[in-house]
């Protein structure tokens, strides 16, 4: 039960906080200004990016997905709780990358997912579409591989002291 609650906390509070923080950090680093930062009821950030370069706009667009993923990579995984949080963030990151890929494909055919970060970047800088598509696919593959590589079922079974069933 505690594991489920920790997963929900990570999905509802920790990941959205890291996502919006990624946008905020990139905005500040590239000379923009964070005007509003909301976590609840729906996570969002409002920034002034009027004098931002194209590189800055692309970075802000992908940093919402990239920052949580990078944080999951650097979390010390010796503690089960921190490992579990990083696994949940990695799984959500893989899903976020997948949604962005679908969003880019749908956008190519004239359909848009509203409020999708990469679509906003493509609307602002149409020439960034190929870069975003390629980068997002690579990040999704890496995140899925890392998730599987960490053997989550085995680690959870070990933590809960559940013996792995034998297949005859």
């Amino acid at each position: 039960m505690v594991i489920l609650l920790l997963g929900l906390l990570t999905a509802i509070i920790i990941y959205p906080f890291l996502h919006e923080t990624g946008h905020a950090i990139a905005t500040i680093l590239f000379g923009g200004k964070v005007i509003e930062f909301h976590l609840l009821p729906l996570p969002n950030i409002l920034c002034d990016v009027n004098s931002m370069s194209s590189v800055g706009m692309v970075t802000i667009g992908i940093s919402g997905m990239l920052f949580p993923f990078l944080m999951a990579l650097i979390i010390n995984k010796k503690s089960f709780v921190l490992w579990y949080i990083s696994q949940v963030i990695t799984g959500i990151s893989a899903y976020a990358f997948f949604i962005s890929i679908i969003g880019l494909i749908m956008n190519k055919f004239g359909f848009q997912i509203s409020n999708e970060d990469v679509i906003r970047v493509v609307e602002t800088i149409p020439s960034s579409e190929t870069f975003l598509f390629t980068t997002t696919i690579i990040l999704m593959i890496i995140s899925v591989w890392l998730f599987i590589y960490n053997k989550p079922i085995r680690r959870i079974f070990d933590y809960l002291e559940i013996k792995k069933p034998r297949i005859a």
Side-chain angles (χ1 to χ4, degrees):
M1 184 64 152
V2 173
I3 289 177
L4 292 175
L5 291 175
L6 183 59
L8 282 173
L9 173 73
T10 303
I12 295 170
I13 303 293
I14 297 172
Y15 180 88
F17 174 76
L18 293 173
H19 178 95
E20 300 305 335
T21 299
H23 290 309
I25 291 170
T27 299
I28 292 166
L29 288 175
F30 283 88
K33 181 180 176 184
V34 176
I35 298 168
E36 293 180 14
F37 186 105
H38 298 280
L39 192 55
L40 297 170
L42 292 174
N44 66 68
I45 186 170
L46 181 61
C47 303
D48 178 6
V49 293
N50 288 330
S51 60
M52 186 87 37
S53 68
S54 296
V55 171
M57 294 294 288
V58 170
T59 303
I60 291 169
I62 64 172
S63 63
M65 294 181 299
L66 194 56
F67 188 69
F69 178 64
L70 293 175
M71 293 306 294
L73 291 177
I74 65 171
I75 289 174
N76 183 340
K77 295 169 181 68
K78 290 182 182 178
S79 154
F80 176 81
V81 169
L82 292 177
W83 170 84
Y84 184 74
I85 289 170
S86 75
Q87 278 296 102
V88 173
I89 291 171
T90 301
I92 295 170
S93 293
Y95 184 62
F97 297 138
F98 177 73
I99 289 171
S100 293
I101 292 165
I102 297 301
L104 287 166
I105 292 169
M106 289 175 62
N107 187 58
K108 195 77 167 162
F109 292 101
F111 303 100
Q112 287 188 345
I113 298 176
S114 63
N115 276 342
E116 173 58 36
D117 293 334
V118 293
I119 299 305
R120 287 192 168 181
V121 173
V122 169
E123 288 172 347
T124 307
I125 309 159
S127 62
S128 67
E129 188 170 22
T130 302
F131 169 77
L132 288 171
F133 188 75
T134 305
T135 303
T136 309
I137 285 177
I138 291 167
L139 289 170
M140 185 187 75
I141 291 168
I142 291 169
S143 60
V144 168
W145 180 82
L146 284 170
F147 187 85
I148 293 168
Y149 177 78
N150 283 314
K151 300 179 172 120
I153 294 172
R154 178 184 295 165
R155 180 109 186 234
I156 291 169
F157 275 29
D158 288 347
Y159 178 75
L160 297 173
E161 297 176 354
I162 300 172
K163 293 189 183 209
K164 193 166 86 173
R166 293 184 185 238
I167 301 173

